[in-house]
Amino acid sequence: MEHIQVMGVQGLPLIHAGDNIAAMICERVPVWDNDILCIASTIYSKARGYTKLLSAITPSERAVRLGNLNGEDPRFVQAVLDASTDIIMEHPFILSELAFGHIGVRAGVDQSNIEDGMVIFLPPDPMKAADEVRAEIRSIAGVDIGVIITDTCGRSFRRGQTGNAIGWSGFPAIRDFRGDTDLFGHVLKITEEAVVDEIAGFANFVMGESNNGVPAVVFRNCPKWTGHDSLYFTNNEDITKRVLKKEWGQ
Ligand code: GDP
Ligand code: MN
Ligand code: MN
């Protein structure tokens, strides 16, 4: 049986706008057909310039109000509001939805691993980002790989953040077990496995959160899976979102 291999990409410099991260990764690690490359959204966004100087942001009245309420810089709050299409909770932190369907604390806007006074936004279209990186790797290295753009996210019910997939290319997000039978012949009715999040979670473990300097991780020999891409609940399906909005939304 083939063992799954996991390799953190060492030796990448600080990433700046305009950098070709696909090329920089290929220079440092061999990439093979069917590998899965996980990339921290942070470096994709820095490379593409999805960053902003706080001093260039003028907070709205709402941003000032929420800044006071949550003890945050109103300019940072404005960045979060700008990145959001729907505010689900205002306090004690902003929980909001982004255009591409992801729901996250502070809209995934980061102030870490970037110069003081700057914020990093999540890529506005992470599915396209993953497609792009995949195509670049194909043209540089001549291999067909899968790509996952990751971000570290908080979650409900449990303490501790984990890596989530916010964009992916080359495979479906979800491995669908519905219709399969278990060891006793029972037909599985509801089991769908969010494989891209599981892989992103392990990649996040290899990356670390602070000064590791490992923003990309390669997985080799992962088994293939089939399923679908409907990772995000529709409004109708999302019970938690409905309840939170009713209780806390504005
Ligand atoms: P996020 O999870 O996408 O928000 O990214 P993090 O800020 O948690 O960073 C994930 C990993 O990438 C950590 O190991 C960081 O030290 C590393 N990292 C972040 N930015 C850079 C960079 O510009 N260059 C390098 N080499 N590593 C970085
Ligand atoms: Mn982040
Ligand atoms: Mn992280």
Side-chain angles (χ1 to χ4, degrees):
M1 195 183 108
E2 298 249 54
H3 294 283
I4 294 178
Q5 276 181 286
V6 186
M7 293 158 282
V9 180
Q10 311 282 340
L12 285 164
L14 284 176
I15 301 300
H16 297 104
D19 283 347
N20 184 340
I21 50 175
M24 293 166 94
I25 290 167
C26 289
E27 281 163 17
R28 286 166 179 81
V29 74
V31 189
W32 297 3
D33 274 321
N34 301 313
D35 281 356
I36 298 174
L37 171 66
C38 293
I39 297 179
S41 50
T42 281
I43 64 155
Y44 180 86
S45 286
K46 285 196 280 192
R48 291 292 191 277
Y50 297 124
T51 59
K52 228 178 208 173
L53 270 168
L54 278 178
S55 59
I57 299 175
T58 310
S60 62
E61 255 175 57
R62 187 183 194 188
V64 171
R65 178 173 64 80
L66 294 182
N68 289 332
L69 185 65
N70 295 336
E72 284 172 333
D73 184 329
R75 298 168 305 171
F76 174 75
V77 174
Q78 187 61 51
V80 172
L81 295 177
D82 290 345
S84 308
T85 51
D86 192 13
I87 307 295
I88 291 153
M89 219 172 82
E90 287 191 332
H91 178 74
F93 50 82
I94 296 176
L95 180 73
S96 64
E97 184 163 340
L98 286 78
F100 62 92
H102 176 71
I103 291 177
V105 172
R106 299 181 187 90
V109 180
D110 276 340
Q111 289 184 283
S112 57
N113 284 321
I114 185 139
E115 291 84 357
D116 278 348
M118 293 202 77
V119 291
I120 311 176
F121 294 90
L122 289 181
D125 188 346
M127 295 299 282
K128 203 175 112 213
D131 283 342
E132 249 173 55
V133 172
R134 186 169 166 228
E136 283 167 11
I137 303 264
R138 192 184 294 123
S139 80
I140 296 165
V143 291
D144 188 21
I145 63 162
V147 172
I148 299 178
I149 308 286
T150 71
D151 192 36
T152 307
C153 299
R155 54 206 177 142
S156 314
F157 310 118
R158 298 170 83 105
R159 197 179 290 276
Q161 293 87 40
T162 64
N164 279 11
I166 60 164
W168 56 92
S169 180
F171 35 65
I174 290 197
R175 180 185 189 183
D176 198 344
F177 282 101
R178 290 173 300 179
D180 266 17
T181 45
D182 72 6
L183 292 170
F184 293 85
H186 308 127
V187 176
L188 299 179
K189 294 198 183 96
I190 54 174
T191 311
E192 298 173 85
E193 181 186 13
V195 182
V196 287
D197 284 334
E198 294 177 311
I199 295 172
F202 200 82
N204 197 80
F205 169 64
V206 177
M207 291 175 189
E209 298 300 336
S210 51
N211 56 14
N212 263 18
V214 179
V217 177
V218 175
F219 290 77
R220 188 158 296 154
N221 291 331
C222 286
K224 294 199 178 287
W225 65 94
T226 56
H228 63 80
D229 270 340
S230 304
L231 185 64
Y232 301 111
F233 282 136
T234 62
N235 279 338
N236 265 348
E237 290 167 324
D238 198 333
I239 299 163
T240 319
K241 177 172 150 184
R242 276 214 303 275
V243 172
L244 284 173
K245 273 196 84 162
K246 211 166 135 207
E247 195 76 11
W248 298 103
Q250 292 295 314

